[in-house]
Amino acid sequence: NAGVTQTPKFQVLKTGQSMTLQCAQDMNHNSMYWYRQDPGMGLRLIYYSASEGTTDKGEVPNGYNVSRLNKREFSLRLESAAPSQTSVYFCASSKRQVSNSPLHFGNGTRLTVT
Amino acid sequence: GESVGLHLPTLSVQEGDNSIINCAYSNSASDYFIWYKQESGKGPQFIIDIRSNMDKRQGQRVTVLLNKTVKHLSLQIAATQPGDSAVYFCAEGASKNSGGSNYKLTFGKGTLLTVNP
């Protein structure tokens, strides 16, 4: 039981390049999330998917798109990377998007945009 | 201690001592609270959670205390070990609508716990 798996672990992009961060969970969770973590700040929600077939914007969605490919997989796409998107990206999942349903996180993708 | 939104504080303890990490939250509508542990280079790891209808919950070597009157949350770690060294942060959760769905979690920045052998 791997939990939440993210790929790649590290990535360096040049400004304007695109890439997709992959995330998969094997806990049969309904809800999935993408967060970014920057020094001195708490985790900030980029996009989430409350259930298969739905996606919604979080606090900081600009410059990103997501796809809930199936119940297990939720990808995050940067169409034209900018230095401000240098960050650590975490995917998370939960049984449902309600209270008493803690998020379980992957180990992150460390992205640098030059 | 920590407040959701402040600069990262630090706590240094001796191995075997008890640790107390604090968190102040701001939203009086928050009804669910979670503590996470994050080791260097890893993702946040769920430790323990508590609903607002409780004021104390115990796990293995950890206890979470909730004081809704002053909007304060604490994590107590008993007999702290070097492996407990990490950043600990709290999260508060509240529904964005009266139906209870579309839940929102707000994360604090964390407290760095260092355990000295």
Side-chain angles (χ1 to χ4, degrees), chain B residues 20-84:
Chain B
I20 300 176
I21 301 170
N22 297 303
C23 177
Y25 64 94
S26 57
N27 186 357
S28 56
S30 292
D31 61 2
Y32 178 55
F33 305 88
I34 316 172
W35 279 101
Y36 285 94
K37 171 186 180 184
Q38 187 173 21
E39 296 174 275
S40 181
K42 294 188 177 179
Q45 178 187 356
F46 170 77
I47 302 173
I48 192 168
D49 58 1
I50 188 168
R51 296 288 305 272
S52 59
N53 60 354
M54 302 172 69
D55 53 21
K56 179 178 179 179
R57 190 170 189 211
Q58 289 185 290
Q60 189 176 15
R61 279 201 309 120
V62 295
T63 300
V64 56
L65 298 177
L66 175 62
N67 184 331
K68 294 181 287 295
T69 303
V70 295
K71 297 204 280 289
H72 183 269
L73 189 70
S74 69
L75 177 71
Q76 300 179 0
I77 305 173
T80 315
Q81 303 165 2
D84 294 327

Side-chain angles (χ1 to χ4, degrees), chain A residues 50-61:
Chain A
S51 60
E52 187 179 355
T54 69
T55 61
D56 284 288
K57 295 179 180 179
E59 297 174 67
V60 289

Side-chain angles (χ1 to χ4, degrees), chain A residues 45-84:
Chain A
L45 182 64
I46 304 171
Y47 269 94
Y48 66 98
S49 171
S51 60
E52 187 179 355
T54 69
T55 61
D56 284 288
K57 295 179 180 179
E59 297 174 67
V60 289
N62 291 345
Y64 306 95
N65 283 300
V66 290
S67 295
R68 184 74 183 266
L69 302 169
N70 47 55
K71 190 172 185 178
R72 290 186 64 246
E73 298 173 287
F74 188 40
S75 63
L76 177 72
R77 183 158 178 85
L78 286 70
E79 288 292 353
S80 180
S84 61

Side-chain angles (χ1 to χ4, degrees), chain A residues 33 35 37 40-44 48 56-57 59 90 97-108 110, chain B residues 6 31-32 34 36 38 40-44 46 49 51 57 89 96 100-105 107-109:
Chain A
Y33 313 79
Y35 284 88
Q37 186 176 47
M41 305 183 76
L43 289 160
R44 292 184 293 168
Y48 66 98
D56 284 288
K57 295 179 180 179
E59 297 174 67
F90 288 101
Q97 200 204 3
V98 294
S99 66
N100 216 32
S101 185
L103 272 61
H104 296 268
F105 288 86
N107 279 327
R110 283 142 187 84
Chain B
L6 289 183
D31 61 2
Y32 178 55
I34 316 172
Y36 285 94
Q38 187 173 21
S40 181
K42 294 188 177 179
F46 170 77
D49 58 1
R51 296 288 305 272
R57 190 170 189 211
F89 55 88
K96 290 193 274 186
S101 63
N102 208 5
Y103 208 72
K104 176 178 174 167
L105 281 178
F107 291 86
K109 297 174 188 174

